[in-house]
Amino acid sequence: MTVEFVNATFPVITVSIIIPLLFAGVLFFLPERHAKPLSIIASVIVFVISTYMLFAYDYSSYAIQFYEKYSWIPYLGVSYEVGVDALSLTMVWLTALCFVVAFVWSTNIQKRIKEYFIAFLVLEAACIGVFVSWDLVWFYIFWEAMLIPMFLIIGIWGYAERIYAATKFFIYTFFGSLFLLIGVVGMYIYQFMERGVLSTSYFDLMNLGLPFKLEVIFFLLLALGFAIKVPMWPFHTWLPAAHVQAPTAGSVILAAVLLKMGTYGFVRFSLPWFPEASKYFVPVMFALGVIAIIYTAMMALAQTHIKRLIAYSSVSHMGFVTIGTFALNMEGMNGAIITMISHGFTSAALFLAAGYIYERVHSYEIKDLGGLARFMPVFATLFMISAMASAGLPGLSGFVGEFLSLLGTFKVSIITAVLAGVSLIVGAGYTLWLYHKAMFKESELSESKIERWEKLRDMNTAELLSFLPLVILMFVIGLYPAWWIRLIETTSAAILSKFIGG
Amino acid sequence: MSVLQEIVAGLGVPNFKVLVPEIIILITAFLVFAIELLTRARFAITVVTAVGLFLAAIPTLTMEQGDITFYGLYIVDSFSLTFKFFLILSTFFVVIVLRPYLEAKNTYYGEYYYLILFSLLGMMMMVSAPNLITFYMGIELASISIYILAGMFKKDYLSKEGAFKYLILGGTGTAVISYGIALVYGRTGSFDFATIANTINSDNLDVGAVAGIVILIIGLALKASSVPFHFWTPDSYQGAPTPITAFMAVAAKISVFAVILRVMVEAFPFAYEVWNTGWALLAAASMIFGNFVALRQENVKRMLAYSSIAHSGYILAAMAAPTGAAFTALIFYSLVYIFMGLGGFIFLSAMERQHGWNNNINDFRGLAKRSPVLALFMLIFMFSMLGIPPTVGFFGKLGVFIALINSDIWWLAVVLVVMSIVSAGYYLRVVIYMYMHEPKSKAKVELSVGEAFTLAFMAVFILILGIYPTVFWDISQILSSLLIAGVGR
């Protein structure tokens, strides 16, 4: 596969990485009251830039667009190399959107405001950097740099067990990343021995013609790093802890953006670099994916804590991405990418909903709720739509992605598709159960609860402004998926070119 | 001919002018001695020392490379000049934070300054040694001065204990090294690195040569505080006045790494099967032991001492692969360790002057609230030691990784990775205590100008280097290729 590059006339990508950093730097020296508006402005600018890219992107043929490359450490063959294809672009756009949502929502934050927003701004820059880097060293830098602010966010602004959760999160992901690093360094050395050129560029590490044994080794090293981030079963145990303890906006970013980095890694690196090993590991990946889908859906059913329930459901949804990716055909790939986007919206919305409930009722325990819908109708409607989208109701975003993933899987392995499909019912089960118990179930309403809840306000402006766009987008994808599929189709084909001879 | 001209002419020694940095350091040392003896003006002593170091640093940057003086006993090449510059630089930072610390601890002695300078002189001799004799003299001058420096808290039992341990074990190390030198001399009939390299090659490695190399490695490992020869390190690091600990952990260590590289590459280039296995084992042991013990420390100074053992392991791991890439990685990591090590220890030295600070991990509680900027600096030091980008510690480890994988030493690369993860346990703890606990006291942290400047300089430099490491890579690469070219491999 020869890759075409369309150079950027204006360095939009670099700008969108630098703006959050710049604002973070400026904020450090400004008084606290500027933190909220400035951060929102920064995130909106980045969102506008990424939206511009989304519409300016030419999806008629596969090319790396808005491409920039500058030499950086010539001795090691490292360059600063950024650009987007449709996969990167949708992820960047999702990131930019989720950060706007997170910032708008965070206007409720009262504790150590300045540090909070600085941490989030740094996090935003790192997240965008991960998705646009085509140089492995830069990719790794952003991949790891993201750990520092996230660690602080969970550890400082989280709930009671926050320090334990933050440390667990950090050490787990650090563990995976270092093995990923060994794998990449190994590829880099191999590339040098084969071709005599030092380069850490993604494109140079492709088509290496690795011997099968090495391919398997490198695949496993990289997969360990990605699988922990996804997280795939059995590497998922850090996730519920981190989600439960993280502050609302932290959970939103964690679910909507950080988890995508793992699946992005599989799609971006594992498939094109190690086609033989990928084929070889399809049964394993299917098995792990199905176990993730079914096991964590069951786990979700058993939860009484709203956030933990949503966290487990995230792992379950990520299972669909895994099987879609490793179906190694167009339907599966499109399905995986759309599920990634859709899960970004739905998980963000559900965590916002959980945070919203906590703000009002001061509890994440489902048993403390019940009958809330009567007191806050606007919220109930939006929450309902998000829950339905998450459960995969046709007409909403979740359905499109999961349907395509299943379709792709069906072509390869009927058993896998059936098992995963059946678990959709469990998925619908826990989502509906959550919604029913939390929002309806008026039998739970005692006199004192009614008395307290009558005073509850429905959504305030910030909450509405952060929640509503997500819900609208669920409809946009659900009702008109063709545009998104068209956008990512050439990219999927390029990624799969080694498997389907595109 | 005037006296001055005679000195400049070097009394007949050729190329005497390349010794200018050493001469400046020596003169400064005597000057400080005189000032201390006659006036006891504390401010003047600091200023004279700092100015002397500054003046000595200039010629190391401007001098041309590749001169041999003292009839082949002393070489001034880019390798030694670069290390001399960084040694002088780290000494400079130690000197400017020393006085407030000593005054806060009520143990001011003017001796500190000229002892530091003498020790620095020894280190400069070490890195300039093309010959086992010069090397031995340098290592002794540096060590003996540090034995005294480590014990300068005369009233403190820990300081005495640390210095005593260091003296005994350092003395043992010296004895071991001299025994190794004797064996090598007996085998080759020469002290000169080049002659040794020409005499010993992989075909004629016999018991004498191997024993000489192994014993020399043991001695050097002791100086580099590599496990299992590390016993002096935690105690003498903890007992010594903290700026002196910084000096020991940074300047002394770096000069030892440089000299290890030089001895191994220039004197035994053809015997690397012997020494790379040796260093690999020592490195693995240091990483494993240093990290696991550091994990259990409650005292942060002691924790940093153990972590410096672990860093010795990371750096020496590069010695396991006898390639240019490995030597580059070693030099690069050594140079960047200066910034992390100085940052960490000088942070502690600055904090020790604050009321009620004992270096216990609990003292770090809520530091981010008391002083956000300081906490941010410490955060940068900790993450750099941990090796997380965008700090430069990441590139240090990356270089070693590349070298190890390039030479197919996967097991050591995996040990390095796993141990880095273990180290996250204790580095993160410091960050957790600073950021995620409530402060015990609300007292403002007050720093001297020197301390503030040093900490800010180190933190900013770590970030700049982390984002743009090219210059340091280039320096390291040039130095390593110079070493390799020197032995014609």
Side-chain angles (χ1 to χ4, degrees):
Chain A
M1 179 176 81
T2 51
V3 183
E4 282 175 35
F5 302 99
V6 181
N7 285 322
T9 46
F10 178 77
V12 272
I13 294 176
T14 309
V15 168
S16 57
I17 296 172
I18 286 176
I19 282 181
L21 288 180
L22 199 70
F23 274 73
V26 171
L27 265 187
F28 193 82
F29 298 102
L30 288 181
E32 202 157 53
R33 66 196 149 83
H34 295 295
K36 286 173 184 174
L38 276 183
S39 315
I40 294 174
I41 291 171
S43 68
V44 168
I45 296 174
V46 174
F47 179 68
V48 169
I49 293 175
S50 63
T51 312
Y52 158 75
M53 288 201 288
L54 194 67
F55 287 107
Y57 180 82
D58 170 18
Y59 51 77
S60 56
S61 67
Y62 184 71
I64 309 298
Q65 303 182 17
F66 308 105
Y67 180 77
E68 299 166 50
K69 184 174 183 175
Y70 312 102
S71 179
W72 182 53
I73 318 179
Y75 167 61
L76 287 177
V78 184
S79 314
Y80 172 76
E81 190 178 13
V82 293
V84 290
D85 63 359
L87 174 63
S88 302
L89 183 56
T90 44
M91 289 301 122
V92 169
W93 185 73
L94 177 69
T95 308
L97 174 74
C98 289
F99 271 94
V100 177
V101 167
F103 280 126
V104 174
W105 179 273
S106 299
T107 44
N108 296 336
I109 283 283
Q110 300 301 335
K111 178 185 167 191
R112 293 165 83 175
I113 302 167
K114 201 162 95 174
E115 286 111 319
Y116 178 91
F117 281 95
I118 289 175
F120 266 97
L121 285 168
V122 174
L123 185 64
E124 175 165 21
C127 288
I128 292 177
V130 166
F131 293 124
V132 297
S133 298
W134 294 90
D135 187 281
L136 271 298
V137 172
W138 277 97
F139 175 79
Y140 192 80
I141 286 179
F142 286 126
W143 177 276
E144 288 290 271
M146 168 234 99
L147 283 181
I148 302 173
M150 199 66 211
F151 171 69
L152 296 177
I153 287 168
I154 299 177
I156 300 177
W157 293 276
Y159 300 96
E161 297 278 303
R162 59 184 187 272
I163 294 173
Y164 165 77
T167 316
K168 193 171 178 182
F169 160 75
F170 190 98
I171 290 182
Y172 255 80
T173 34
F174 189 49
F175 178 85
S177 325
L178 280 177
F179 281 95
L180 183 146
L181 183 65
I182 291 197
V184 170
V185 169
M187 297 261 309
Y188 164 76
I189 300 283
Y190 186 87
Q191 198 270 152
F192 176 65
M193 300 220 225
E194 284 291 286
R195 298 180 180 158
V197 186
L198 278 173
S199 170
T200 48
S201 170
Y202 173 84
F203 307 104
D204 289 332
L205 294 179
M206 213 158 35
N207 304 322
L208 268 185
L210 294 161
F212 183 67
K213 220 177 108 194
L214 269 183
E215 222 180 76
V216 168
I217 291 172
F218 289 145
F219 179 91
L220 288 176
L221 285 171
L222 265 66
L224 185 62
F226 299 142
I228 287 176
K229 202 80 139 206
V230 169
M232 273 159 77
W233 184 88
F235 306 109
H236 66 282
T237 54
W238 63 267
L239 182 85
H243 266 311
V244 168
Q245 302 303 332
T248 303
S251 293
V252 168
I253 299 301
L254 200 56
V257 180
L258 263 54
L259 303 194
K260 305 303 173 297
M261 288 181 186
T263 49
Y264 173 85
F266 274 116
V267 176
R268 174 68 75 218
F269 298 102
S270 302
L271 299 193
W273 280 4
F274 317 115
E276 296 305 316
S278 299
K279 258 186 232 164
Y280 178 76
F281 280 111
V282 164
V284 180
M285 289 312 206
F286 274 2
L288 291 180
V290 167
I291 292 173
I293 295 172
I294 297 176
Y295 170 78
T296 51
M298 295 300 202
M299 289 295 284
L301 264 180
Q303 301 306 318
T304 57
H305 188 287
I306 303 179
K307 276 182 130 182
R308 191 171 275 127
L309 191 155
I310 308 170
Y312 276 111
S313 92
S314 283
V315 183
S316 181
H317 286 294
M318 285 293 119
F320 279 98
V321 181
T322 312
I323 61 169
T325 308
F326 280 89
L328 302 177
N329 52 34
M330 282 297 285
E331 292 83 357
M333 183 57 68
N334 286 341
I337 297 175
I338 296 210
T339 310
M340 280 156 80
I341 305 167
S342 151
H343 178 259
F345 301 148
T346 55
S347 62
L350 289 179
F351 278 115
L352 287 185
Y356 174 88
I357 291 174
Y358 186 82
E359 291 265 304
R360 301 295 188 279
V361 188
H362 302 291
S363 168
Y364 280 122
E365 290 298 323
I366 295 175
K367 64 174 164 38
D368 294 340
L369 311 174
L372 268 178
R374 196 205 293 179
F375 306 98
M376 35 186 85
V378 181
F379 169 71
T381 319
L382 295 180
F383 185 19
M384 168 77 120
I385 299 168
S386 315
M388 291 302 116
S390 174
L393 193 76
L396 288 161
S397 59
F399 174 75
V400 184
E402 279 167 22
F403 177 76
L404 281 171
S405 296
L406 282 179
L407 197 66
T409 315
F410 194 79
K411 286 188 175 170
V412 186
S413 160
I414 297 177
I415 296 182
T416 311
V418 168
L419 284 173
V422 168
S423 73
L424 273 177
I425 302 168
V426 186
Y430 63 72
T431 320
L432 289 176
W433 179 77
L434 164 70
Y435 192 81
H436 172 71
K437 284 249 184 106
M439 304 306 288
F440 296 143
K441 199 154 191 202
E442 304 228 339
S443 56
E444 293 276 317
L445 282 177
S446 57
E447 286 298 319
S448 64
K449 268 188 187 173
I450 294 178
E451 197 177 317
R452 262 185 298 138
W453 290 358
E454 298 246 273
K455 297 191 200 90
L456 293 181
R457 291 168 293 117
D458 209 338
M459 301 191 104
N460 65 27
T461 326
E463 285 158 349
L464 194 67
L465 278 180
S466 51
F467 211 129
L468 201 57
L470 294 172
V471 172
I472 295 172
L473 285 164
M474 287 173 210
F475 277 112
V476 169
I477 297 187
L479 293 175
Y480 190 52
W483 190 82
W484 294 88
I485 293 174
R486 211 168 55 214
L487 180 73
I488 60 180
E489 217 162 29
T490 47
T491 303
S492 305
I495 289 163
L496 291 171
S497 59
K498 292 216 175 109
F499 302 97
I500 53 177
Chain B
M1 194 184 267
S2 72
V3 180
L4 194 68
Q5 274 169 325
E6 261 181 60
I7 290 173
V8 172
L11 309 165
V13 177
N15 293 329
F16 201 70
K17 61 179 184 303
V18 295
L19 294 174
V20 170
E22 282 85 345
I23 292 170
I24 295 177
I25 297 290
L26 195 62
I27 292 174
T28 315
F30 283 124
L31 214 56
V32 172
F33 178 69
I35 297 172
E36 208 271 331
L37 196 67
L38 301 174
T39 70
R40 298 182 174 269
R42 294 178 176 185
F43 184 69
I45 292 177
T46 312
V47 169
V48 168
T49 316
V51 169
L53 288 167
F54 181 74
L55 289 178
I58 296 172
T60 62
L61 293 175
T62 56
M63 207 180 285
E64 284 174 26
Q65 56 159 307
D67 274 331
I68 293 180
T69 182
F70 282 133
Y71 311 105
L73 281 177
Y74 205 86
I75 181 166
V76 181
D77 53 359
S78 305
F79 183 81
S80 56
L81 284 174
T82 311
F83 272 98
K84 278 177 201 170
F85 174 75
F86 282 104
L87 289 172
I88 294 173
L89 186 75
S90 32
T91 313
F92 176 80
F93 281 112
V94 170
V95 165
I96 61 173
V97 299
L98 192 54
R99 193 167 59 99
Y101 177 86
L102 295 176
E103 281 174 351
K105 292 271 176 183
N106 276 329
T107 44
Y108 185 91
Y109 302 106
E111 284 89 341
Y112 275 112
Y113 291 88
Y114 57 84
L115 283 172
I116 286 178
L117 289 172
F118 280 128
S119 173
L120 174 66
L121 196 62
M123 293 169 196
M124 290 165 79
M125 283 169 71
M126 274 159 81
V127 297
S128 269
N131 186 299
L132 288 171
I133 292 297
T134 327
F135 151 72
Y136 188 76
M137 281 163 57
I139 217 166
E140 275 308 273
L141 180 55
S143 304
I144 291 174
S145 316
I146 294 182
Y147 301 150
I148 308 171
L149 284 171
M152 286 289 260
F153 273 176
K154 293 178 202 164
K155 294 169 206 136
D156 184 359
Y157 177 75
L158 277 180
S159 180
K160 276 190 280 197
E161 186 194 338
F164 185 67
K165 264 194 181 170
Y166 192 14
L167 175 63
I168 298 296
L169 284 164
T172 313
T174 315
V176 169
I177 288 175
S178 55
Y179 189 46
I181 291 176
L183 279 172
V184 172
Y185 180 74
R187 174 68 179 69
T188 62
S190 172
F191 291 119
D192 189 56
F193 289 169
T195 320
I196 294 170
N198 287 334
T199 318
I200 299 179
N201 58 51
S202 48
D203 300 328
N204 68 358
L205 273 180
D206 53 16
V207 180
V210 171
I213 296 171
V214 168
I215 289 174
L216 209 52
I217 288 179
I218 290 175
L220 286 168
L222 201 148
K223 295 286 178 192
S225 71
S226 168
V227 175
F229 311 107
H230 63 282
F231 291 105
W232 58 274
T233 317
D235 291 325
S236 54
Y237 276 24
Q238 192 187 358
T242 310
I244 299 303
T245 312
F247 184 66
M248 288 158 73
V250 175
K253 275 285 187 64
I254 301 310
S255 58
V256 171
F257 291 134
V259 90
I260 286 175
L261 193 57
R262 186 158 215 150
V263 172
M264 290 299 143
V265 175
E266 289 199 340
F268 308 107
F270 304 108
Y272 65 79
E273 297 90 344
V274 180
W275 54 259
N276 69 357
T277 323
W279 286 121
L281 293 174
L282 291 172
S286 308
M287 288 190 266
I288 294 169
F289 180 85
N291 278 315
F292 275 112
V293 180
L295 213 48
R296 303 178 55 86
Q297 302 304 318
E298 287 296 312
N299 184 308
V300 176
K301 195 170 166 190
R302 210 171 163 78
M303 178 209 90
L304 281 182
Y306 277 108
S307 101
S308 88
I309 296 178
H311 278 282
S312 285
Y314 302 140
I315 295 174
L316 292 176
M319 287 303 284
T323 61
F327 304 149
T328 308
L330 190 149
I331 297 170
F332 184 78
Y333 205 143
S334 308
L335 295 185
V336 300
Y337 185 68
I338 292 177
F339 299 95
M340 308 190 275
L342 278 183
F345 280 111
I346 288 184
F347 177 87
L348 293 184
S349 127
M351 294 308 292
E352 266 179 60
R353 303 198 298 114
Q354 316 301 324
H355 178 69
W357 184 279
N358 301 314
N359 286 335
N360 192 285
I361 185 80
N362 279 313
D363 296 339
F364 281 80
R365 274 179 197 278
L367 193 69
K369 271 194 184 155
R370 288 172 61 192
S371 174
V373 181
L374 262 185
L376 185 68
F377 289 161
M378 193 59 172
L379 176 111
I380 292 171
F381 301 144
M382 290 294 111
F383 277 115
S384 183
M385 289 199 189
L386 183 50
I388 298 260
T391 57
V392 72
F394 164 67
F395 282 100
K397 281 187 183 161
L398 181 72
V400 179
F401 262 142
I402 293 179
L404 289 178
I405 294 175
N406 200 2
S407 304
D408 275 340
I409 311 175
W410 290 81
W411 69 271
L412 200 54
V414 170
V415 171
L416 204 156
V417 160
V418 174
M419 287 308 125
S420 298
I421 296 157
V422 172
S423 74
Y426 56 87
Y427 290 130
L428 285 186
R429 214 150 80 101
V430 173
V431 177
I432 287 172
Y433 272 76
M434 287 193 306
Y435 278 88
M436 300 169 195
H437 287 285
E438 289 304 309
K440 281 196 300 188
S441 77
K442 287 267 191 300
K444 273 281 191 193
V445 180
E446 300 202 353
L447 298 185
S448 75
V449 181
E451 286 162 347
F453 171 69
T454 308
L455 292 175
F457 181 87
M458 296 301 157
V460 171
F461 216 69
I462 284 172
L463 283 185
I464 291 177
L465 275 186
I467 293 163
Y468 192 69
T470 308
V471 179
F472 267 46
W473 267 118
D474 286 347
I475 293 176
S476 314
Q477 203 218 350
I478 291 166
L479 296 187
S480 76
S481 55
L482 195 91
L483 272 186
I484 295 169
V487 296
R489 280 178 67 212

